[in-house]
Amino acid sequence: LVRSRGLGDVYKRQILYAEQSNEPAGDFAINILIVEDEEDVASRIANGVRQSGFVYEHAYTGDDAILMGQDNAYDAIILDLGLPGKSGLEVLKAWRAAGLTTPVLILTARNSWTEKVEGLNLGADDYLTKPFHTPELVARLNALVRRAAGHSDPLLTYDNLILDPARSRVSLDGTDLDLTAFEFRLLKYFMTRQGHVVSQSELVEHLYSLEGMRESNTVEVYISRLRRQIGADKIKTIRGLGYRFG
C-alpha cells in the first residue's frame, strides 16, 4: 500500500500487506523507517525487512526523513548517508538534537571510514558498508531493537516462558507452544516491553500491519487466546490504561 501524506508526492508510506509476506492478516510487526534515495537499494531493503515480518515506511530525502522520524514512532531506522537535500549526517544530527532516541543504523559507501566515525559520534547505533548482504542488515536491526528494549540476549525469557525470535519458537516449562504468527508477534511485543504498560491504542496504531484491521476488540480476542496458552497471570489488565506483561 502506498499513501501520500499531505505533502503531495514528497514522501510515501508503504505498509506491508499480508499477501505480500505470506503472513496472516492483522499480524503484529516491528516498525522500521527506511531512508534511502536509490530505488533499487530501497527495494532490496524493503523486501528483506518485509520477509522478516517487519512493516516499514520509506523516506526518499533528508528533509522528509527529519519530519517522519520526529512525527512517527519507529522501532529502528535505516539511514543512508548519501541523500539528496540534507545529508544523512545532517538528518541524524537533527534527530538527536530534537531528542529522538530511536536506534539508527547508517549505510555508508565503501572506504568512507570518516563518515562511519562521524555518524557514530553523532549518535548512530550501528553501520553497514555498501554493498551489504540483506540477511546481515536484518540481523543487525533485530539486535538494535532488542538492545533498545533492554534485551541483549536473543532469547526473551520470563519465569518459565522462553521466546526464541530467530527460530520463531515459544516454550513453556520446556514444552513448545503452538502459537499462530499473530499470537507469536503479540507475545514478542509484550516480552520486549516487560514491566511496561502497553495501551490498546499503542497496539492498534503502532503494530497492526494492515490499516483495515485496526480494531481494538480484535486485540482483546488475541490477548485472551494468548493468556490461555501461557497463563492468564502473565498479561495483566491495567484498568483504564492497557496491559502489562510480567
Side-chain angles (χ1 to χ4, degrees):
L1 174 64
V2 178
R3 293 177 179 270
S4 297
R5 290 196 51 191
L7 295 177
D9 293 325
V10 171
Y11 59 82
K12 299 176 182 179
R13 187 183 183 196
Q14 302 184 12
I15 300 179
L16 166 67
Y17 268 102
E19 59 267 25
Q20 291 176 311
S21 64
N22 297 319
E23 295 288 349
D27 270 350
F28 289 105
I30 300 301
N31 195 10
I32 304 295
L33 173 61
I34 300 170
V35 185
E36 171 61 67
D37 65 306
E38 295 182 36
E39 197 69 49
D40 58 335
V41 177
S43 178
R44 185 156 60 91
I45 294 172
N47 287 335
V49 299
R50 183 170 60 232
Q51 290 168 10
S52 299
F54 300 158
V55 295
Y56 67 90
E57 297 184 344
H58 183 193
Y60 289 90
T61 70
D63 290 321
D64 304 337
I66 291 175
L67 290 176
M68 293 178 72
Q70 293 176 352
D71 290 347
N72 301 282
Y74 299 104
D75 295 291
I77 298 173
I78 301 167
L79 174 64
D80 179 35
L81 296 187
L83 298 173
K86 284 186 172 62
S87 71
L89 291 175
E90 291 177 294
V91 171
L92 180 59
K93 185 176 182 179
W95 281 340
R96 295 314 190 214
L100 186 73
T101 59
T102 305
V104 175
L105 186 154
I106 57 176
L107 302 178
T108 68
R110 187 191 299 270
N111 299 325
S112 60
W113 67 268
T114 54
E115 281 192 336
K116 298 174 189 175
V117 172
E118 190 172 357
L120 292 171
N121 286 336
L122 285 174
D125 298 272
D126 200 356
Y127 70 86
L128 268 180
T129 301
K130 294 181 178 179
F132 54 84
H133 296 288
T134 304
E136 181 182 3
L137 173 71
V138 172
R140 288 177 180 272
L141 282 177
N142 274 314
L144 288 180
V145 172
R146 286 198 306 269
R147 287 203 297 269
H151 299 280
S152 57
D153 192 320
L155 296 180
L156 302 178
T157 63
Y158 176 76
D159 196 16
N160 57 346
L161 185 67
I162 300 175
L163 185 147
D164 185 343
R167 295 178 175 83
S168 297
R169 295 176 59 184
V170 178
S171 64
L172 182 70
D173 288 324
T175 302
D176 286 348
L177 299 180
D178 185 19
L179 301 183
T180 66
F182 195 113
E183 293 163 348
F184 178 84
R185 294 195 187 186
L186 175 58
L187 178 59
K188 180 181 176 182
Y189 189 80
F190 275 128
M191 292 186 73
T192 57
R193 289 153 178 81
Q194 291 183 35
H196 297 280
V197 175
V198 179
S199 68
Q200 276 200 357
S201 61
E202 178 181 347
L203 292 174
V204 171
E205 295 298 327
H206 184 55
L207 292 176
Y208 268 118
S209 61
L210 290 177
E211 293 278 1
M213 294 295 294
R214 295 186 172 185
E215 298 286 345
S216 61
N217 60 341
T218 305
V219 173
E220 294 172 355
V221 169
Y222 278 90
I223 287 177
S224 177
R225 293 184 186 180
L226 194 55
R227 281 170 167 159
R228 289 197 292 270
Q229 291 262 40
I230 68 173
D233 60 318
K234 290 184 173 63
I235 303 176
K236 300 176 178 65
T237 298
I238 309 300
R239 191 174 299 276
L241 297 175
Y243 305 94
R244 184 176 63 224
F245 182 91

